[in-house]
Amino acid sequence: MLLKMSKKNKLISIIIILFAYSFTFANETPSTIFTKEELNYINKKQSVNIGMISNFKPFSFIDDYNKQQGFSVELVKEISKISSLKFNIYTNKWNKVLKKFENKELDVIADISYTKNREEFTFFTKAYYEIPTYIFGLKNNNSYTSINDLVGKKVGISKSLYYKDKLINKGIIVVELDSSNEKAEALGIGKIDYFLASFTSGIKAIVSNSITNIKAISEFHGVKKEDLRFGIKKDEEILRSIIEKSLNQIPSEKIDSFKNKWILELEEFYKKIIPLNKKEEDYLNKKESINLCIDPDWMPFEKINENGKHIGLSSDYFEFFQSKILIPINLVKTSSWSESLQFVKDKRCDILSLAMKTPNRSKYLDFTEAYFKAPLVLITKNNVISSNNIKDLENKSIGIIKDFALVELIKKNYPKIDIIEVANAKIGLEKVVNSEIFGFIDSLGVISYKYQDFFINELKINGTFKEKWELSVATRKDEPELLSIFNKLVKSIPQTKKEEISNKYISLNYEKEFDYDLFIKILVLVFMIFTFLIYRQYSKEQHLEKIKDAYNKLETILDTTIEAIIISKNNKVTKFNKEALELFKYSNNEDILGKNFLDLIQKDSKNIFTENFSKTHEMTFVKSDKSSFYALSRSKDINTKEGVFRVTSVVDLTLLKEKEAILVEQSKMISTGEMIQNIAHQWRQPLSHISTIATGIKMQKEFDMLDEDSLIRNMEKINTSAQYLSQTIDDFRNFFKPNSNNIKLFNIKDTFNKLNSLVKDTLEDNNINLIIDCEDLNIKANENLLIQSFLNIVNNAKDAIKNNQESKNSLNSFIFIECKKIDNNLVINFKDSGNGIQENILNRIFELYFTTKHESQGTGIGLYMTYQIITKQLKGEISVRNISFKYNNFDLKGAIFRIKIPLF
């Protein structure tokens, strides 16, 4: 009868079983795990102070982003979830953490090993992991076989380790050092004979110090394996019980997932490094280190940060590669991807971290199989119709980073696309915003990284393409062993490792808050059907946990940003990050919480903020000590159920402004030198005239031929020349008036007359004709700054004409200045016959210190300062292009600078 049970009865039976199981699960809460006394302790205990090691990878360590990571950290998070205890983590080196714990300044210590003498001040939990210890020695030392061979030898160990006394009792001379790095260094220079450490920390120390004469000899069996436990101070018996129970409640599947994430790679280390053949081993033994070049500015894939360190996705891969070969991989610093390519050609680098294979590169590089693939996307302005076909971009200007493989491939496969090479992604995106190019192509990861930070309201990802970046390790062609070694390294990457790295850098914004398994989902569904009360309670707890976890993540993100972040409601400060606390010089949280945000802004900047806070502005802020600083600021309002919160980011510009002031002074000094040359030109003739008259008067006096009428006439001539000299001095003095805030209304025609008086003699001496055609227009600005920017353009045009071999006389040497009103803007064109600017440097001439002149003739500041004056101080635009034109039946070629300035 049971065998013929109906489907309906089967379903009812399954639901009853599930319901019973779910009821059991629902009651497996802290209230059933812990005693009443323990629950009271949890409710009263504000937080638990736990000590963790800062350099004990992969169990407990500080990563590149100053965040505590590792297997033991994951366990602490799970204990916190189960017990509802909040842990405050203190991080330092082991001996300092242990000292604080012994002094009862910490409630709990992680990663402690059991010893008899530690029982005096410690309650121990069960061991949650055991690590074998390895012995390290010199490569030419083959005398070690057991612990007995260490009698009378100097052996380095970390301070305060549990097996110190055992080694001393064996007759071993123990040398205590702070870290594995110090132990490796001491062994390398002969201060000790051996050192003991875990395999990974020892190998990492050898590699990071580029020590090539040390090896891992074998696992050290003279002491028991290092058992890792939680230690609780002796007077906290209830806390010990809570932590022990919580540790036992962590599912074995969860612990296995932590092991797979953090320790699986470590266990593989113990088994074997990548297998190498004799030829490859001989190559590595002769090669003391491998020099690595990367793209220094291609996040999130890779970058050289301000500390000169390799960060990004490729850094994690190369950390994995480094762990598999016992030879240092050294980062060679470069300033651009183009320079990295050149370094490989010059054999200053052996490998490139992320490179795509192209026919041209294959002439000097070999490529492993691709270990990372990234989709390509096109980004355009918001109003552009979407496209997923590269052919749709024919006859359009598209930006791509200079010397990227994509440039070569698109030029070959799609010759009708107008490729514009740019220095980096940010510049490419800015050119799209400014309508200088139609679109910009890069990988989805890079675009998302830059796009979200800078251009979220102006640009969109227009389409993706079937073409992808297929990125490999590129090796020097003249060292084929490198290719075979790195092919083995690439093939050894576990799929879980690839997913972990990809999620860390590419999928961060899409990660879920919690990882529920299918069984929990089924139980939640059963709760919803059969018991609304249990579901409601469970849902509430989970919701609170999510909020807590999200809040902790938000705090971590806020505290790791380089800009100050301040959150306010109704202008009252409700939240801020560490950078804001330091930047505004507040000693503690209470001093700034609840403060009126407008009190942090200097009076003359408050209107800027209140009128249009959502745009980026340069403003002056006030610190707690009443000192002020210049900063870049932008805000955004966020609507929540609790009301409208305003999030404001502040970036300190103090150093930038100081450098800019130095550049202005440098530019002024250069202009001063040029003005002195112009003064010399204009004074030469009148001074010569005065000298001739004075000499004539003297001769007439000596020969008794001087009469009164002649003397008076000559004095008048001298006076006329002197007045001319005086007027010249006034003209130049007015130009160099120091007040940069001298804003006034003036006629642009008068300005060009002043410009003409400053440069006419210099231009005449070089047979250059200056032709000015200007409308009668009034403009409100700083006239001296405007003249300075015009002088830089005219002087560059003069130099270009002088260097042009075709301009040998005044018949074809011209500088044309045209100004007119277009819409509500003053538009000025400077055109010359200097044969133009080389196309490959045309987009760089406004860069700081960029010059085509010899270093004795130019500094590259002039046009940079012109760009800064026009765009920053006068809120205008400036561009340059080459032009061919006809004048007086001459076919001329030169450059045309176009300036657009708002009139009011």
Side-chain angles (χ1 to χ4, degrees), residues 709-755:
D709 290 340
S710 174
L711 179 61
I712 290 172
R713 284 194 306 274
N714 285 327
M715 289 300 102
E716 287 176 350
K717 291 179 180 178
I718 289 175
N719 182 57
T720 301
S721 296
Q723 290 297 326
Y724 174 78
L725 295 176
S726 177
Q727 182 60 45
T728 303
I729 286 296
D730 286 342
D731 289 343
F732 288 102
R733 185 177 59 195
N734 287 335
F735 171 69
F736 287 107
K737 280 184 179 176
N739 187 2
S740 62
N741 295 317
N742 187 17
I743 308 296
K744 63 180 182 179
L745 191 67
F746 56 89
N747 192 290
I748 194 66
K749 254 189 173 181
D750 295 337
T751 303
F752 281 113
N753 288 335
K754 292 177 183 178
L755 175 68

Coordinates of all heavy atoms in Angstrom, one line a residue, residues 709-755:
D709 N 71.2 128.4 -30.6 CA 70.0 127.8 -31.4 C 70.3 126.3 -31.6 O 69.4 125.5 -31.5 CB 69.8 128.6 -32.7 CG 69.3 130.0 -32.5 OD1 68.8 130.3 -31.4 OD2 69.4 130.8 -33.4
S710 N 71.5 126.0 -32.0 CA 71.8 124.6 -32.3 C 71.7 123.8 -31.0 O 71.2 122.7 -31.0 CB 73.2 124.5 -32.9 OG 73.6 123.2 -33.0
L711 N 72.2 124.4 -29.9 CA 72.1 123.7 -28.6 C 70.7 123.4 -28.2 O 70.3 122.3 -27.8 CB 72.8 124.5 -27.6 CG 72.8 123.9 -26.1 CD1 73.6 122.5 -26.1 CD2 73.5 124.8 -25.2
I712 N 69.8 124.4 -28.4 CA 68.4 124.2 -28.0 C 67.7 123.1 -28.9 O 67.0 122.3 -28.4 CB 67.6 125.6 -28.1 CG1 68.1 126.5 -27.0 CG2 66.1 125.3 -28.0 CD1 67.6 127.9 -27.2
R713 N 68.0 123.2 -30.2 CA 67.4 122.2 -31.1 C 67.8 120.7 -30.7 O 67.0 119.8 -30.6 CB 67.8 122.4 -32.5 CG 67.0 123.6 -33.2 CD 67.2 123.6 -34.7 NE 68.6 123.6 -35.1 CZ 69.3 124.7 -35.3 NH1 68.8 125.9 -35.0 NH2 70.6 124.6 -35.7
N714 N 69.1 120.6 -30.4 CA 69.7 119.3 -30.0 C 69.1 118.8 -28.7 O 68.8 117.6 -28.5 CB 71.2 119.3 -30.0 CG 71.8 119.3 -31.4 OD1 71.2 118.7 -32.3 ND2 72.9 120.0 -31.6
M715 N 68.9 119.8 -27.7 CA 68.3 119.4 -26.5 C 66.9 118.9 -26.6 O 66.5 118.0 -25.9 CB 68.4 120.6 -25.5 CG 69.8 121.0 -25.0 SD 70.6 119.6 -24.1 CE 71.7 119.0 -25.3
E716 N 66.1 119.5 -27.5 CA 64.8 119.1 -27.8 C 64.7 117.7 -28.4 O 63.9 116.9 -28.1 CB 64.1 120.1 -28.7 CG 63.8 121.4 -28.1 CD 63.2 122.4 -29.0 OE1 63.2 122.2 -30.3 OE2 62.7 123.5 -28.6
K717 N 65.7 117.4 -29.3 CA 65.8 116.1 -29.9 C 66.1 115.0 -28.8 O 65.5 113.9 -28.8 CB 66.8 116.0 -30.9 CG 66.5 116.8 -32.2 CD 67.6 116.7 -33.2 CE 67.3 117.6 -34.5 NZ 68.4 117.5 -35.5
I718 N 67.0 115.4 -27.9 CA 67.3 114.4 -26.8 C 66.1 114.2 -25.9 O 65.8 113.1 -25.5 CB 68.5 115.0 -26.0 CG1 69.8 114.9 -26.8 CG2 68.7 114.2 -24.7 CD1 71.0 115.5 -26.1
N719 N 65.4 115.3 -25.6 CA 64.2 115.2 -24.8 C 63.1 114.3 -25.4 O 62.5 113.5 -24.8 CB 63.6 116.6 -24.5 CG 62.4 116.5 -23.6 OD1 62.5 116.0 -22.5 ND2 61.3 117.0 -24.1
T720 N 63.0 114.5 -26.8 CA 62.0 113.7 -27.5 C 62.3 112.2 -27.4 O 61.5 111.3 -27.1 CB 61.9 114.1 -29.0 OG1 61.6 115.5 -29.1 CG2 60.9 113.2 -29.8
S721 N 63.6 111.9 -27.6 CA 64.1 110.5 -27.5 C 63.9 109.9 -26.1 O 63.5 108.8 -25.8 CB 65.5 110.3 -27.9 OG 65.7 110.7 -29.3
A722 N 64.2 110.8 -25.1 CA 64.0 110.4 -23.7 C 62.5 110.1 -23.3 O 62.2 109.2 -22.6 CB 64.6 111.5 -22.7
Q723 N 61.6 111.0 -23.9 CA 60.2 110.7 -23.7 C 59.8 109.4 -24.3 O 58.9 108.7 -23.7 CB 59.4 111.9 -24.3 CG 59.5 113.2 -23.6 CD 59.0 113.1 -22.1 OE1 58.1 112.4 -21.8 NE2 59.7 113.8 -21.2
Y724 N 60.3 109.1 -25.5 CA 60.0 107.8 -26.1 C 60.4 106.6 -25.2 O 59.7 105.6 -25.0 CB 60.7 107.7 -27.5 CG 60.5 106.4 -28.1 CD1 59.3 106.0 -28.8 CD2 61.5 105.4 -28.1 CE1 59.1 104.8 -29.4 CE2 61.4 104.2 -28.7 CZ 60.2 103.9 -29.3 OH 60.0 102.7 -29.9
L725 N 61.7 106.7 -24.6 CA 62.2 105.7 -23.8 C 61.3 105.6 -22.5 O 61.0 104.5 -22.1 CB 63.6 106.0 -23.3 CG 64.7 106.0 -24.4 CD1 66.0 106.4 -23.9 CD2 64.8 104.6 -25.1
S726 N 60.9 106.7 -22.0 CA 60.0 106.7 -20.8 C 58.7 106.0 -21.1 O 58.2 105.2 -20.3 CB 59.7 108.1 -20.3 OG 58.9 108.1 -19.2
Q727 N 58.1 106.3 -22.3 CA 56.8 105.7 -22.7 C 57.0 104.2 -22.8 O 56.1 103.4 -22.4 CB 56.3 106.3 -24.0 CG 54.9 105.7 -24.4 CD 53.8 106.0 -23.4 OE1 53.7 107.1 -22.9 NE2 53.1 105.0 -23.1
T728 N 58.1 103.8 -23.4 CA 58.4 102.3 -23.5 C 58.4 101.6 -22.2 O 57.8 100.6 -22.0 CB 59.7 102.1 -24.2 OG1 59.7 102.8 -25.5 CG2 60.0 100.6 -24.5
I729 N 59.1 102.2 -21.2 CA 59.2 101.7 -19.9 C 57.8 101.6 -19.2 O 57.4 100.5 -18.6 CB 60.1 102.5 -18.9 CG1 61.5 102.3 -19.3 CG2 59.9 102.2 -17.5 CD1 62.0 100.9 -19.1
D730 N 56.9 102.6 -19.4 CA 55.6 102.5 -18.9 C 54.8 101.4 -19.5 O 54.0 100.7 -18.8 CB 54.8 103.8 -19.2 CG 55.3 105.0 -18.3 OD1 55.9 104.7 -17.2 OD2 55.1 106.2 -18.6
D731 N 54.9 101.2 -20.8 CA 54.2 100.1 -21.5 C 54.6 98.7 -20.9 O 53.7 97.9 -20.5 CB 54.5 100.0 -23.0 CG 53.9 101.2 -23.7 OD1 53.0 101.8 -23.1 OD2 54.3 101.5 -24.9
F732 N 55.9 98.5 -20.7 CA 56.3 97.2 -20.1 C 56.0 97.1 -18.6 O 55.7 96.0 -18.1 CB 57.8 97.0 -20.4 CG 58.1 96.7 -21.8 CD1 58.7 97.7 -22.7 CD2 57.9 95.4 -22.3 CE1 58.9 97.4 -24.0 CE2 58.2 95.1 -23.7 CZ 58.7 96.1 -24.5
R733 N 56.1 98.2 -17.9 CA 55.8 98.1 -16.5 C 54.3 97.8 -16.3 O 53.9 97.0 -15.4 CB 56.1 99.5 -15.8 CG 55.9 99.5 -14.3 CD 56.3 100.8 -13.7 NE 55.5 101.9 -14.3 CZ 55.8 103.2 -14.2 NH1 56.9 103.6 -13.6 NH2 55.0 104.1 -14.8
N734 N 53.4 98.3 -17.1 CA 52.0 98.0 -17.0 C 51.7 96.5 -17.2 O 50.9 95.9 -16.6 CB 51.2 98.8 -18.0 CG 51.1 100.3 -17.6 OD1 51.2 100.6 -16.4 ND2 50.9 101.1 -18.6
F735 N 52.5 95.9 -18.1 CA 52.4 94.5 -18.4 C 52.7 93.6 -17.2 O 52.1 92.6 -16.9 CB 53.2 94.1 -19.6 CG 53.3 92.6 -19.8 CD1 52.1 91.9 -20.2 CD2 54.4 91.9 -19.5 CE1 52.2 90.5 -20.4 CE2 54.5 90.5 -19.7 CZ 53.3 89.9 -20.2
F736 N 53.7 94.1 -16.4 CA 54.2 93.3 -15.3 C 53.6 93.7 -14.0 O 54.2 93.4 -12.9 CB 55.7 93.3 -15.2 CG 56.4 92.5 -16.3 CD1 57.0 93.1 -17.4 CD2 56.3 91.1 -16.2 CE1 57.6 92.4 -18.4 CE2 56.9 90.4 -17.2 CZ 57.6 91.0 -18.3
K737 N 52.5 94.4 -14.0 CA 51.8 94.7 -12.7 C 51.4 93.4 -12.0 O 50.8 92.5 -12.6 CB 50.6 95.6 -13.0 CG 50.9 97.0 -13.2 CD 49.6 97.9 -13.3 CE 50.0 99.3 -13.5 NZ 48.8 100.1 -13.8
P738 N 51.8 93.3 -10.7 CA 51.7 92.0 -10.0 C 50.2 91.5 -9.7 O 50.0 90.4 -9.4 CB 52.5 92.2 -8.8 CG 52.4 93.6 -8.5 CD 52.4 94.3 -9.8
N739 N 49.3 92.4 -9.7 CA 47.9 92.1 -9.2 C 47.2 91.2 -10.3 O 46.7 91.7 -11.3 CB 47.1 93.4 -9.0 CG 45.8 93.1 -8.4 OD1 45.5 91.9 -8.1 ND2 45.0 94.1 -8.1
S740 N 47.1 89.9 -9.9 CA 46.5 88.9 -10.9 C 45.0 89.0 -10.8 O 44.3 88.4 -11.6 CB 47.0 87.5 -10.6 OG 46.6 87.2 -9.3
N741 N 44.4 89.7 -9.8 CA 43.0 89.8 -9.7 C 42.5 91.2 -10.3 O 41.4 91.6 -10.0 CB 42.6 89.7 -8.2 CG 42.9 88.4 -7.7 OD1 42.6 87.4 -8.4 ND2 43.4 88.3 -6.5
N742 N 43.3 91.8 -11.1 CA 42.9 93.1 -11.7 C 41.9 92.9 -12.8 O 42.3 93.0 -14.0 CB 44.2 93.8 -12.1 CG 43.9 95.3 -12.6 OD1 42.8 95.8 -12.3 ND2 44.8 95.9 -13.3
I743 N 40.7 92.7 -12.5 CA 39.6 92.4 -13.5 C 39.0 93.8 -13.9 O 38.6 94.5 -13.0 CB 38.5 91.5 -13.0 CG1 39.2 90.2 -12.4 CG2 37.5 91.2 -14.1 CD1 39.9 89.4 -13.4
K744 N 38.9 94.1 -15.1 CA 38.3 95.4 -15.6 C 37.8 95.2 -17.0 O 38.1 94.3 -17.7 CB 39.4 96.5 -15.5 CG 40.5 96.3 -16.5 CD 41.6 97.4 -16.4 CE 42.7 97.2 -17.4 NZ 43.7 98.3 -17.3
L745 N 37.0 96.2 -17.4 CA 36.4 96.2 -18.7 C 37.4 97.0 -19.6 O 37.8 98.1 -19.3 CB 35.1 96.9 -18.7 CG 34.2 96.8 -20.0 CD1 33.8 95.3 -20.2 CD2 33.0 97.7 -19.9
F746 N 37.8 96.4 -20.8 CA 38.7 97.1 -21.7 C 38.3 96.7 -23.1 O 37.6 95.7 -23.4 CB 40.1 96.7 -21.4 CG 40.4 95.2 -21.4 CD1 40.8 94.6 -22.6 CD2 40.3 94.5 -20.2 CE1 41.1 93.2 -22.6 CE2 40.6 93.1 -20.2 CZ 40.9 92.5 -21.4
N747 N 38.9 97.4 -24.1 CA 38.6 97.2 -25.5 C 39.7 96.3 -26.0 O 40.9 96.6 -25.9 CB 38.6 98.5 -26.3 CG 38.1 98.3 -27.7 OD1 38.7 97.7 -28.5 ND2 36.9 98.8 -28.0
I748 N 39.3 95.2 -26.7 CA 40.3 94.2 -27.2 C 41.2 94.8 -28.2 O 42.4 94.4 -28.4 CB 39.6 93.0 -27.7 CG1 40.6 91.8 -27.9 CG2 38.9 93.3 -29.0 CD1 41.2 91.3 -26.5
K749 N 40.8 95.9 -29.0 CA 41.6 96.5 -30.0 C 42.8 97.2 -29.3 O 43.9 97.1 -29.7 CB 40.8 97.6 -30.7 CG 40.5 97.2 -32.2 CD 39.9 98.4 -32.9 CE 39.7 98.0 -34.4 NZ 39.1 99.1 -35.2
D750 N 42.5 97.8 -28.1 CA 43.6 98.5 -27.4 C 44.6 97.4 -26.9 O 45.8 97.7 -26.8 CB 43.0 99.2 -26.2 CG 42.2 100.4 -26.6 OD1 42.3 100.9 -27.7 OD2 41.3 100.8 -25.8
T751 N 44.1 96.3 -26.5 CA 45.0 95.2 -26.0 C 45.9 94.8 -27.1 O 47.1 94.6 -26.9 CB 44.1 94.0 -25.6 OG1 43.2 94.4 -24.6 CG2 45.0 92.9 -25.0
F752 N 45.4 94.6 -28.3 CA 46.3 94.2 -29.4 C 47.3 95.3 -29.8 O 48.4 95.0 -30.3 CB 45.5 93.7 -30.6 CG 45.0 92.3 -30.4 CD1 43.7 92.0 -30.3 CD2 45.9 91.2 -30.3 CE1 43.2 90.8 -30.1 CE2 45.4 89.9 -30.2 CZ 44.1 89.7 -30.0
N753 N 46.9 96.6 -29.6 CA 47.8 97.7 -29.9 C 49.0 97.6 -28.9 O 50.2 97.8 -29.2 CB 47.1 99.0 -29.7 CG 46.2 99.3 -30.9 OD1 46.4 98.8 -32.0 ND2 45.2 100.1 -30.7
K754 N 48.7 97.3 -27.6 CA 49.7 97.1 -26.6 C 50.6 95.9 -26.9 O 51.8 96.0 -26.8 CB 49.1 96.9 -25.2 CG 48.4 98.1 -24.7 CD 47.7 97.8 -23.3 CE 46.9 99.1 -22.8 NZ 46.2 98.8 -21.6
L755 N 50.0 94.8 -27.4 CA 50.7 93.7 -27.8 C 51.7 94.0 -28.9 O 52.9 93.6 -28.9 CB 49.8 92.5 -28.2 CG 50.4 91.3 -28.7 CD1 51.2 90.5 -27.7 CD2 49.4 90.3 -29.4

